């Protein structure tokens, strides 16, 4: 019993883990109702997690010095996929250096350069959708965001290589979102030796890595070509000593972009399409703005409101305390996890009036706050791909709404389901679209 931790449920960690895994939203909300804005939960094999939902506490966590809190250590479970160089796994100086190396690839003007390519991918995808028949749009979004990762981030051109890598990644991504994909690397290695589907996925992953290394080596020889993709920026990046990223570093960071950016963006888009057909007023206002082609304030507000109401990552990366630290009047010991809960902050009636309603206008009346709208986390660990994800979501919404009318694909609205770390629409977000009939332009 550690007296300095905020109170929380006292059930054994296995029971708490079960609640947290199977009914994540209800479990968090029940804990907050009972224990308030900071409470401690205990999950099997993990240090105690202090769930924080007071923006003042969250600000202190996001601003704490890098040697005090370590988010990288908490993400170790990803190492078998992303590799040891991944920015997500690093802390302190190595993290800051790696992040500095990668950030220029995501600057505003770079995003603009990529918009054309992403638009082309999105338009082609919408054109292939069935008309007037319900289909699960989440799958389509997964396909779309995978294509975007391969072409706009990895920089693979259309052709045989794209087809092979797309096929490999589709299979690997489906495997990774199953619960066994979350087992620690050494355990996975052991099971691989048993053969069967595990061995198959192991070989597939080796083959995909070979394709990626081959791509990296080839791109080094054509370095200097003027290309807008993220790979080109990574190839041009230089460490403080002037050296470029090694092949292993490049592979690890590209895989990091894939792991961090593919399913997150797909799920967030799936939520937008789960919500919009059921909000005719919002949909009409948004369509009007897009048709007018005059600014995108409402589009931005719709995206913010979707990320508030349905954050695909319920919380920021857990920050492991490396020394005693006082936050919000509580002194936490070493080796506990401080977790900023986006879901709880976003559904606090003291911060958002009527928090369960979907009302993008709230963000036109008052711009989002740094510590009250936190779908991308914050501080020096804030999502590197946030501007990329927002650009992609805007492009997809424009491509869809300029081509088709949206209709709900099922009678009942969607509910959330955990797919490892993301919260996705349980039934895959059924959608029905019909060809958009446009009024002829006045002569
Ligand atoms: C809607 C889509 C996305 C959401 C909701 C999302 C959310 C997040 C969150 C919550 C974090 C943790 C931040 C923290 O702990 O403070 C994060 C980190 C990260 N995200 Fe995203 N993300 C999205 C898309 C992307 C994309 C498209 C990319 C890359 C192209 C990306 C790359 C990363 C990376 C590299 C990190 C680690 C940053 C670090 O540790 O310094 N994300 N993201």
């Amino acid at each position: 019993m550690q007296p300095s931790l905020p109170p929380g449920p006292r059930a054994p960690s296995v029971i708490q883990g079960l609640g947290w895994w199977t009914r994540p939203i209800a479990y968090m909300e029940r804990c907050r109702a009972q224990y308030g804005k900071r409470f401690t939960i205990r999950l099997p094999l993990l240090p105690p997690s202090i769930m924080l939902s007071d923006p003042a506490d969250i600000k202190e966590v996001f601003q704490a010095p890098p040697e005090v809190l370590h988010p990288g250590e908490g993400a170790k479970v990803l190492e078998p996929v992303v590799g040891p160089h991944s920015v997500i796994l690093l802390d302190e100086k190595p993290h800051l250096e790696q992040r500095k190396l990668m950030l220029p690839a995501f600057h505003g003007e770079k995003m603009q350069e990529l918009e054309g390519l992403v638009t082309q991918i999105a338009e082609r995808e919408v054109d292939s959708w069935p008309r007037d028949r319900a289909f699960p749009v989440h799958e389509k979004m997964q396909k779309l965001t995978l294509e975007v990762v391969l072409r706009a981030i990895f920089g693979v051109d259309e052709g045989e290589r794209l087809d092979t890598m797309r096929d490999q990644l589709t299979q690997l991504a489906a495997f990774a979102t199953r619960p066994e994909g979350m087992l620690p690397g050494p355990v996975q290695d052991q099971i691989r030796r048993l053969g069967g589907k595990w061995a198959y996925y192991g070989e597939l992953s080796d083959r995909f890595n070979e394709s990626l290394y081959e791509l990296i080596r080839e791109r080094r020889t054509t370095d200097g070509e003027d290309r807008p993709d993220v790979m080109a920026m990574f190839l041009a990046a230089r460490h403080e000593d002037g050296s470029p990223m090694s092949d292993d570093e490049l592979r690890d960071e590209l895989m990091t972009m894939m792991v961090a950016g593919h399913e997150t963006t797909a799920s967030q888009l799936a939520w937008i399409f789960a919500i919009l057909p059921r909000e005719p007023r919002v949909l009409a206002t948004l369509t009007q703005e897009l048709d007018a082609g005059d600014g995108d304030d409402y589009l931005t507000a719709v995206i913010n409101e979707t990320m508030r109401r349905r954050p695909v990552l319920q919380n920021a990366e857990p920050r492991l305390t490396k020394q005693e630290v006082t936050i919000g009047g509580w002194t936490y010991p070493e080796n506990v996890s401080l977790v900023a809960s986006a879901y709880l902050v976003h559904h606090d009636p003291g911060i958002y009036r009527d928090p369960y309603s979907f009302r993008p206008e709230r963000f036109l009346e008052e711009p989002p706050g740094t510590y009250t709208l936190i779908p991308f986390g914050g501080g020096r660990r804030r999502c590197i791909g946030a501007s990329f994800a927002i650009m992609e979501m805007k492009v997809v919404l424009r491509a869809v709404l300029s081509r088709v009318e949206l209709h709900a694909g099922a009678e009942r609205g969607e509910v959330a389901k955990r797919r490892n770390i993301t919260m996705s629409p349980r039934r895959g977000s059924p959608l029905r679209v019909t060809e958009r009939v446009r009024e002829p332009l006045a002569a």
Side-chain angles (χ1 to χ4, degrees):
M1 181 77 184
Q2 299 189 47
S4 55
L5 299 185
R10 279 196 238 139
S13 64
V14 175
I15 304 287
Q16 295 195 38
L18 218 69
W20 179 83
W21 186 266
T22 56
R23 304 190 57 228
I25 292 178
Y27 191 67
M28 285 296 109
E29 292 199 319
R30 219 173 45 229
C31 286
R32 177 164 65 182
Q34 198 167 348
Y35 303 105
K37 290 194 185 183
R38 47 180 93 78
F39 54 86
T40 306
I41 60 170
R42 289 164 199 276
L43 304 174
L45 309 176
L46 292 174
S49 302
I50 296 93
M51 309 302 296
L52 302 171
S53 59
D54 184 328
D57 285 7
I58 290 174
K59 180 174 179 184
E60 285 188 60
V61 167
F62 285 169
Q63 292 185 346
E67 66 280 9
V68 176
L69 300 181
H70 276 192
E73 267 185 62
K76 277 281 175 274
V77 60
L78 296 174
E79 187 166 332
V81 185
V82 295
H85 302 283
S86 167
V87 68
I88 271 189
L89 304 183
L90 304 175
D91 284 302
E92 299 193 34
K93 196 158 178 282
H95 170 256
L96 287 181
E97 266 183 32
Q98 199 68 10
R99 198 174 154 99
K100 216 164 92 193
L101 214 57
M102 297 164 70
L103 275 175
F106 297 96
H107 276 173
E109 75 272 22
K110 280 282 139 201
M111 294 304 101
Q112 268 175 14
E113 281 177 46
L114 278 174
E115 232 182 87
L117 177 58
V118 179
T119 303
Q120 190 199 327
I121 295 169
E123 288 179 346
R124 200 186 284 176
E125 176 56 40
V126 187
D127 287 341
S128 76
W129 289 357
R131 299 304 195 249
D132 211 9
R133 177 164 65 75
F135 62 93
V137 77
H138 188 183
E139 275 171 20
K140 307 284 184 194
M141 291 299 122
Q142 286 169 323
K143 184 166 154 245
L144 191 159
T145 58
L146 191 79
E147 195 75 3
V148 169
V149 167
L150 281 169
R151 296 194 55 199
I153 296 186
F154 292 10
V156 185
D157 291 327
E158 286 189 288
E160 202 180 315
R161 171 182 278 153
L162 180 66
D163 296 340
T164 309
M165 289 179 85
R166 183 194 298 120
D167 179 50
Q168 293 168 337
L169 260 192
T170 308
Q171 294 189 55
L172 286 170
F175 182 66
T177 50
R178 290 169 22 179
E180 59 263 42
M182 293 283 274
L183 293 171
V187 180
Q188 293 200 20
D189 286 346
Q190 287 296 330
I191 307 180
R192 254 175 89 167
R193 291 201 189 98
L194 299 176
K197 72 172 191 252
W198 279 81
Y200 172 73
Y201 282 109
E203 281 158 27
L204 194 66
S205 149
D206 292 346
R207 281 210 303 278
F208 181 74
N209 275 328
E210 275 163 32
S211 313
L212 202 46
Y213 278 117
E214 195 184 282
L215 176 74
I216 292 169
R217 284 193 296 270
E218 206 175 291
R219 283 292 296 270
R220 278 201 201 282
T221 61
T222 53
D223 196 11
E225 272 181 19
D226 190 17
R227 296 178 59 117
D229 47 62
V230 170
M231 167 82 106
M233 291 300 285
F234 284 180
L235 282 167
R238 292 292 175 267
H239 287 285
E240 273 166 21
D241 66 2
S243 62
M245 283 200 214
S246 67
D247 286 0
D248 289 341
E249 266 181 290
L250 271 167
R251 191 230 70 118
D252 290 1
E253 297 311 358
L254 291 170
M255 278 313 280
T256 301
M257 300 295 123
M258 147 74 197
V259 169
H262 164 235
E263 183 54 43
T264 43
T265 315
S267 285
Q268 202 66 76
L269 279 161
W271 277 119
I272 298 186
F273 292 115
I275 294 170
L276 278 184
R278 292 172 195 278
E279 297 285 345
R281 185 192 55 80
V282 173
L283 185 55
T285 313
L286 179 59
T287 311
Q288 244 166 35
E289 182 188 82
L290 295 180
D291 284 357
D294 181 21
D296 64 0
D297 290 351
Y298 199 73
L299 175 59
T300 306
V302 166
I303 289 173
N304 278 335
E305 180 69 342
T306 310
M307 291 194 295
R308 180 194 71 79
R309 183 67 189 86
R310 291 299 189 181
V312 293
L313 298 181
Q314 272 201 305
N315 40 259
E317 274 185 65
R319 270 83 167 152
L320 192 71
T321 54
K322 298 306 288 178
Q323 44 185 272
E324 213 174 75
V325 56
T326 302
I327 283 171
W330 283 81
T331 300
Y332 298 107
E334 195 184 323
N335 212 20
V336 299
S337 267
L338 301 182
V339 188
S341 169
Y343 185 88
L344 290 179
V345 175
H346 294 179
H347 293 84
D348 180 341
I351 300 172
Y352 292 105
R353 189 166 53 86
D354 208 359
Y356 297 93
S357 68
F358 188 83
R359 208 173 64 82
E361 286 74 11
R362 65 174 93 240
F363 289 116
L364 298 176
E365 292 151 14
E366 203 176 318
T370 313
Y371 305 104
T372 49
L373 185 72
I374 53 167
F376 293 115
R380 68 180 70 76
R381 304 301 295 222
R382 185 173 187 267
C383 175
I384 291 183
S387 53
F388 188 98
I390 290 172
M391 175 272 286
E392 188 173 349
M393 290 191 276
K394 286 185 173 178
V395 163
V396 172
L397 275 167
R398 281 197 201 100
V400 172
L401 295 181
S402 63
R403 285 170 157 64
V404 291
E405 310 260 356
L406 306 185
H407 314 271
E411 228 166 87
R412 280 181 304 142
E414 269 291 5
V415 287
K417 177 180 184 223
R418 182 191 289 284
R419 299 179 83 231
N420 284 342
I421 56 166
T422 59
M423 298 292 285
S424 322
R426 180 182 288 276
R427 294 187 300 273
S429 191
L431 180 72
R432 184 169 63 84
V433 302
T434 49
E435 207 61 38
R436 196 171 160 194
V437 186
R438 280 175 182 272
E439 296 294 319
L441 289 176

